[in-house]
C-alpha cells in the first residue's frame, strides 16, 4: 500500500474552480478499528458537494482544510479495521461518507456504520450514484408513511432523489403522480409514475382538487410547494421536503428564519386534520443503504445516470458545473 496518493483537495471556501486542485502527496492512512479502507473506483456529485465547497453551509458544518470532497463513493475494500467482521478484503462496497467525503481520492477510510456491499448487478458508477440520493428518498417515504394505497405526488420527479422516490413509492404500492418539465415527462413515466404533470404548464393544485393526496414529496423547494400542498393534501396529509424556501448561503439570520418557519408550519399542522410539515435531514447509515439495495436487487428500483465524467480534476469541475445548472436527469457520476 502506498504511503501517499493523488487526490483532489479543497484549500479553502470559494468558487469550485478556484479552490480545488490536484495533490500528489495526500497521506494514505491505515483504517481505524471500526473503519475500512476503500480504493475508490467511482464517485457521484450531489448539490450538497458544491454547497459545502462554496461555504454555503459553513455555519452548519465547518471544514478543516485541506479537504477531499465528494460524499458518494464506491470501490473495493483494501484494508479492514481490527473490530470489523462484516466486510473482507476485495469486497465491492459503497457509501455516503457523510462527514469525511473522500470520493475524489484514490483511497479513503469509511466507518463500517456507513458502508454496505454494492448490489451485485450494478457497476461502480451506478453503485456510487445511489447512497445519498437513495437514502434520502427512502427517508422521505418513511417519514411520509408511504404504503400500499397511499396517493403520492413527487415534485422534482426527474432529479436524483425524485426519480428514486417515484420508484420506491410504486414499489410500496402507492399511486404516484410525478411533477417535472415537459422534456422529462417520458422519463418520469418510465420510472413508474401513474401520471405526470408538466410543471411549466400547470401545477398539482390546478390538475387535482382538494383532498387528492396523502403525501407530497418536495425535491425542489420554495414556499409555493408548501402552498400547493395545503390545497391538495387530505386532512392530516404529509408534506415531506428535502429543500427549503430559500436554499442559498446559510447565515445566522437565515437559520433563525428557517427554524421559525419550521416551527410555525408544524404548529399550523397540529391536530389530526392539519397538514403535517416534515423536513428531511438525512442521517446516512449502512442499515438504511442495505434497505435500498434490497429494492435494487429485486429489480424494483434502478438508478439512472444522466452523465459520466472521468474522476479527474477537470471531470469533478465539469460535473459540479452541470449539477449547479440544475438540469440533470437522474445522477451525475465520475469514474476511473
Amino acid at each position: 500500500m502506498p504511503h501517499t496518493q493523488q487526490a483532489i483537495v479543497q484549500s479553502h471556501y470559494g468558487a469550485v474552480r478556484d479552490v480545488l486542485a490536484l495533490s500528489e502527496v495526500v497521506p494514505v492512512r491505515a483504517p481505524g478499528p471500526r473503519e475500512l479502507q476503500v480504493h475508490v473506483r467511482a464517485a457521484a456529485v450531489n448539490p450538497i458537494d458544491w454547497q459545502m465547497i462554496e461555504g454555503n453551509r459553513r455555519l452548519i458544518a465547518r471544514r478543516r482544510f485541506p479537504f477531499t470532497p465528494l460524499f458518494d463513493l464506491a470501490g473495493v475494500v483494501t484494508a479492514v479495521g481490527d473490530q470489523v467482521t462484516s466486510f473482507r478484503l476485495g469486497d465491492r462496497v459503497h457509501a455516503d461518507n457523510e462527514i469525511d467525503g473522500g470520493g475524489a481520492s484514490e483511497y479513503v477510510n469509511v466507518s463500517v456504520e456507513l458502508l454496505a456491499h454494492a448490489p451485485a448487478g450494478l457497476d461502480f458508477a451506478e453503485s456510487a450514484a445511489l447512497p445519498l440520493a437513495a437514502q434520502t428518498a427512502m427517508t422521505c417515504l418513511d417519514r411520509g408513511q408511504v404504503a400500499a394505497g397511499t396517493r403520492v405526488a413527487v415534485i422534482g420527479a426527474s432529479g436524483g432523489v425524485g426519480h428514486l422516490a417515484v420508484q420506491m413509492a410504486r414499489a410500496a404500492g402507492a399511486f404516484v403522480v410525478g411533477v417535472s418539465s415537459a422534456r422529462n415527462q417520458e422519463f418520469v413515466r418510465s420510472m413508474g409514475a401513474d401520471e405526470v404533470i408538466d410543471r411549466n404548464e400547470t401545477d398539482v393544485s390546478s390538475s387535482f382538487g382538494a383532498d387528492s393526496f396523502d403525501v407530497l414529496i418536495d425535491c425542489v423547494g420554495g414556499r409555493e410547494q408548501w402552498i400547493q400542498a395545503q390545497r391538495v393534501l387530505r386532512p392530516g396529509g404529509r408534506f415531506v421536503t428535502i429543500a427549503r424556501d430559500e436554499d442559498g448561503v446559510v447565515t445566522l439570520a437565515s437559520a433563525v428564519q428557517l427554524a421559525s418557519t419550521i416551527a410555525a408550519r408544524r404548529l399550523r399542522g397540529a391536530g389530526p386534520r392539519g397538514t403535517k410539515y416534515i423536513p428531511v435531514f438525512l442521517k446516512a447509515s449502512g442499515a438504511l443503504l442495505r434497505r435500498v439495495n434490497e429494492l435494487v436487487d429485486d429489480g424494483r428500483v434502478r438508478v439512472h445516470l444522466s452523465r459520466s465524467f472521468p474522476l479527474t480534476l477537470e471531470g469533478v469541475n465539469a460535473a459540479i458545473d452541470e449539477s449547479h445548472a440544475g438540469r440533470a436527469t437522474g445522477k451525475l457520476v465520475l469514474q476511473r
Side-chain angles (χ1 to χ4, degrees):
M1 185 61 60
H3 296 293
T4 60
Q5 62 175 315
Q6 286 190 346
I8 297 160
V9 297
Q10 176 187 355
S11 56
H12 56 280
Y13 291 120
V16 172
R17 289 183 179 270
D18 294 337
V19 303
L20 295 186
L22 179 65
S23 172
E24 297 185 354
V25 292
V26 176
V28 177
R29 295 188 301 108
R34 297 287 296 166
E35 293 181 329
L36 294 94
Q37 183 187 82
V38 178
H39 181 204
V40 179
R41 300 290 298 277
V45 166
N46 299 282
I48 190 62
D49 290 305
W50 49 263
Q51 290 167 354
M52 293 291 288
I53 292 170
E54 292 174 356
N56 296 354
R57 299 294 183 268
R58 75 180 76 179
L59 187 68
I60 302 171
R62 184 170 290 275
R63 284 188 166 168
R64 293 183 178 180
F65 300 113
F67 183 87
T68 301
L70 303 186
F71 297 110
D72 273 345
L73 57 92
V76 177
V77 175
T78 49
V80 179
D82 294 341
Q83 298 178 15
V84 175
T85 59
S86 50
F87 296 89
R88 297 180 180 179
L89 295 179
D91 282 353
R92 298 170 67 257
V93 295
H94 61 161
D96 167 10
N97 200 18
E98 59 178 2
I99 301 298
D100 296 328
S105 62
E106 292 181 286
Y107 298 92
V108 62
N109 293 339
V110 184
S111 168
V112 68
E113 306 300 333
L114 296 174
L115 278 164
H117 290 94
L122 300 190
D123 61 24
F124 285 115
E126 292 166 324
S127 297
L130 276 173
L132 190 152
Q135 289 184 86
T136 301
M138 181 72 78
T139 302
C140 287
L141 266 69
D142 289 346
R143 298 293 307 281
Q145 302 172 38
V146 174
T150 304
R151 290 181 62 87
V152 180
V154 180
I155 299 176
S158 63
V161 175
H163 86 290
L164 295 165
V166 168
Q167 295 175 76
M168 291 177 182
R170 281 286 292 165
F175 176 88
V176 185
V177 173
V179 181
S180 71
S181 63
R183 72 184 180 91
N184 290 325
Q185 284 189 304
E186 288 307 313
F187 169 70
V188 175
R189 286 193 182 93
S190 74
M191 295 295 102
D194 295 284
E195 296 186 31
V196 183
I197 296 173
D198 177 1
R199 62 176 172 80
N200 296 318
E201 294 293 331
T202 185
D203 54 39
V204 174
S205 63
S206 299
S207 301
F208 294 87
D211 302 343
S212 295
F213 296 98
D214 303 293
V215 181
L216 190 149
I217 298 174
D218 167 35
C219 303
V220 174
R223 182 171 179 269
E224 64 272 19
Q225 315 306 342
W226 168 243
I227 294 172
Q228 291 286 322
Q230 294 173 88
R231 294 172 178 167
V232 298
L233 286 174
R234 293 170 176 168
R238 299 168 293 283
F239 176 76
V240 182
T241 180
I242 67 170
R244 315 294 167 248
D245 289 0
E246 301 293 338
D247 207 25
V249 177
V250 176
T251 63
L252 181 59
S254 68
V256 170
Q257 179 61 48
L258 174 61
S260 176
T261 298
I262 292 174
R265 291 177 180 175
R266 284 179 166 171
L267 181 62
R268 182 170 181 173
R273 298 183 61 82
T275 299
K276 311 306 177 191
Y277 181 80
I278 307 172
V280 167
F281 303 94
L282 176 63
K283 177 56 181 172
S285 71
L288 184 58
L289 189 51
R290 285 190 287 274
R291 288 178 56 201
V292 170
N293 291 345
E294 288 178 6
L295 294 175
V296 174
D297 288 336
D298 289 345
R300 291 184 287 174
V301 168
R302 61 184 175 89
V303 63
H304 175 77
L305 304 186
S306 177
R307 188 176 173 187
S308 178
F309 300 82
L311 190 43
T312 62
L313 177 59
E314 182 51 40
V316 170
N317 285 333
I320 288 177
D321 285 346
E322 188 149 333
S323 176
H324 227 311
R327 292 177 59 82
T329 300
K331 295 288 298 178
L332 300 169
V333 297
L334 305 105
Q335 54 187 324
R336 300 190 191 282

